[in-house]
Amino acid sequence: RQTCIRDRNEAITEKSTEATANTASDASEASENTVDETAARNLENLERLNSTYGINIRYGNSVVWSYNTSGTGITDEELIASRLALLEDCLRQYPPSFFSDLNAYSPITVNLIDTLGGADGYTDGSLNSSIQIALSCDNSDLYFTLAFHHELFHFIEYCIRSVSYTHLRAHET
């Protein structure tokens, strides 16, 4: 009788182990599908924001940030989705023509960086033809949003300086 109970318990344990393995495998596949779906939605949102506002948004390997601080592009698809949604909320506060007007001076590129060494954002205006904004994605939604508006102001400053310098240079000749 003990052998029979032991055999039955072993069979139950085997089935339980198989079920757990299958569940884990199913969960892993579902997780991969979810990540792939989120990545696809992120690309759609990225393209929509670019076509609506004319803003280049970079994350992951597309980040080209090399200003005075280190950091790499964010790669977590859920974090990317969150930050794109926050950026869209920020961009909606301005008329789309605002960004097309700014693009006349320099393309607007926003790099989503994992961390900027304690800073919330930076704007690199060393090249007027390509002013870059970097936003740290390791802080709260509020600080991310505030950093965007703050860095956009610096972007505008660089545009004004560029126009003023060009205007002054034109009058010198």
Side-chain angles (χ1 to χ4, degrees):
R1 182 174 168 112
Q2 276 186 325
T3 303
C4 198
I5 291 171
R6 189 178 330 121
D7 290 344
R8 193 174 91 192
N9 286 343
E10 287 174 5
I12 290 170
T13 302
E14 277 182 33
K15 286 182 182 178
S16 175
T17 303
E18 273 180 35
T20 301
N22 289 340
T23 302
S25 175
D26 292 345
S28 174
E29 286 177 25
S31 175
E32 286 176 25
N33 288 339
T34 302
V35 169
D36 291 343
E37 290 168 2
T38 303
R41 277 193 311 274
N42 287 342
L43 285 174
E44 289 171 9
N45 289 337
L46 184 75
E47 291 169 8
R48 184 174 40 73
L49 292 173
N50 183 282
S51 68
T52 302
Y53 298 100
I55 296 211
N56 302 310
I57 301 169
R58 295 182 175 163
Y59 56 83
N61 294 333
S62 69
V63 166
V64 292
W65 183 253
S66 61
Y67 190 57
N68 291 334
T69 185
S70 61
T72 57
I74 59 172
T75 56
D76 178 87
E77 293 297 337
E78 291 297 326
L79 181 59
I80 293 166
S82 163
R83 294 313 184 209
L84 288 176
L86 286 173
L87 270 177
E88 185 166 20
D89 289 344
C90 291
L91 295 169
R92 279 188 192 137
Q93 296 178 27
Y94 303 90
S97 62
F98 177 77
F99 295 102
S100 60
D101 290 346
L102 287 177
N103 267 320
Y105 302 103
S106 174
I108 303 170
T109 300
V110 176
N111 294 285
L112 301 178
I113 308 292
D114 55 358
T115 183
L116 290 170
D120 295 325
Y122 283 106
T123 301
D124 179 6
S126 58
L127 294 173
N128 287 339
S129 61
S130 178
I131 300 172
Q132 303 275 321
I133 293 174
L135 297 174
S136 178
C137 294
D138 70 342
N139 50 20
S140 71
D141 293 358
L142 175 63
Y143 280 106
F144 180 85
T145 301
L146 293 173
F148 171 77
H149 294 292
H150 177 89
E151 298 309 322
L152 182 61
F153 176 75
H154 287 307
F155 182 94
I156 294 166
E157 284 181 312
Y158 284 119
C159 289
I160 291 169
R161 285 183 195 165
S162 171
V163 170
S164 297
Y165 178 76
T166 304
H167 182 71
L168 288 174
R169 297 285 293 164
H171 289 292
E172 285 179 358
T173 57

